[in-house]
Amino acid sequence: IPTSDVQTDKLLSFFGRMFYSYDHKYLLTATLRADGSSKFIGKNRCGYFPSAAFAWQASEERFIKNLNLFSNLKVRLSYGVAGNNRIDNYAYSSTFGASAYAVNGTSLSVALLPSRIANPDLKWESTYSENLGFDAGFFQDRVSLDLDLYRNVTKNLLLNAVIPGSSGYTTEFKNIGSTLNKGLEATLTTRNIE
């Protein structure tokens, strides 16, 4: 059966970021990303993903300097949303595939049959991330310790879900469920050679 396939995939993004620093001790970053993807339609085509981060450079405080213990000390707090559109092109629409069948037991005829069920309600998968971080440096940063407490929640997971065969189809792209990923990361670094 002769076949052909042409697909297009388009993504339009806008990105804005703001930085603010007060007295080299208090740092604020705010970001907004807007994405439009051809993999979704209607009101679900665009996704908006904000994030914000705050850092306190505690080692610049006089009472920390007076301790003569830290060469660097920073506390970080951040929150952000990221989007995912990694699904097949046109997953929101019905598609057709070619199939051959015999006529009178001798000649083959080609027909177009539905091969995928439409889901115009598909939307962006979103991951919500929270992070509390702590950075400490000792002995002119020859020894450094980084701690990060994180929590990531992904919602509206994009999944090619199995559906009952009685529908005439075996799978359908859907937004289903959520996942949670959380933990503590610790990194200890030493510089032993200049």
Side-chain angles (χ1 to χ4, degrees):
I1 301 172
T3 60
S4 65
D5 184 43
V6 177
Q7 297 188 22
T8 60
D9 179 12
K10 296 180 182 178
L11 181 70
L12 177 64
S13 299
F14 295 94
F15 181 86
R17 176 172 284 172
M18 179 194 74
F19 297 100
Y20 179 74
S21 173
Y22 178 75
D23 201 23
H24 302 290
K25 292 187 284 191
Y26 309 103
L27 311 169
L28 178 65
T29 303
T31 305
L32 178 62
R33 179 176 176 141
D35 292 314
S37 173
S38 62
K39 295 188 176 186
F40 308 106
I41 59 171
K43 66 184 187 316
N44 296 326
R45 176 154 286 173
C46 294
Y48 302 95
F49 309 107
S51 66
F54 172 77
W56 173 39
Q57 191 68 50
S59 55
E60 294 296 315
E61 300 285 0
R62 184 177 304 276
F63 70 93
I64 298 293
K65 289 181 178 180
N66 290 340
L67 295 175
N68 292 320
L69 177 62
F70 301 101
S71 52
N72 177 49
L73 183 63
K74 182 188 283 187
V75 178
R76 299 174 279 107
L77 181 65
S78 64
Y79 175 81
V81 185
N84 175 25
N85 71 333
R86 293 187 184 101
I87 56 173
D88 292 348
N89 293 325
Y90 319 114
Y92 58 81
S93 66
S94 294
T95 57
F96 292 83
S99 179
Y101 62 94
V103 176
N104 297 328
T106 56
S107 61
L108 285 180
S109 291
V110 177
L112 287 178
L113 301 174
S115 59
R116 183 170 57 206
I117 191 170
N119 184 355
D121 296 324
L122 279 178
K123 57 186 174 183
W124 287 85
E125 177 181 301
S126 299
T127 299
Y128 301 81
S129 300
E130 303 165 357
N131 190 84
L132 175 62
F134 172 83
D135 303 327
F138 308 90
F139 312 113
Q140 281 69 53
D141 287 337
R142 292 180 68 88
V143 178
S144 61
L145 175 65
D146 301 320
L147 296 174
D148 283 281
L149 183 64
Y150 64 90
R151 183 177 186 270
N152 300 325
V153 178
T154 303
K155 298 181 179 179
N156 298 314
L157 291 166
L158 289 166
L159 179 68
N160 195 14
V162 176
I163 59 176
S166 58
S167 66
Y169 303 89
T170 56
T171 60
E172 177 188 7
F173 275 101
K174 294 183 176 184
N175 291 104
I176 295 178
S178 63
T179 62
L180 171 64
N181 181 14
K182 59 183 178 179
L184 174 67
E185 286 184 356
T187 305
L188 178 65
T189 305
T190 62
R191 192 174 73 245
N192 303 311
I193 299 173
E194 287 294 336

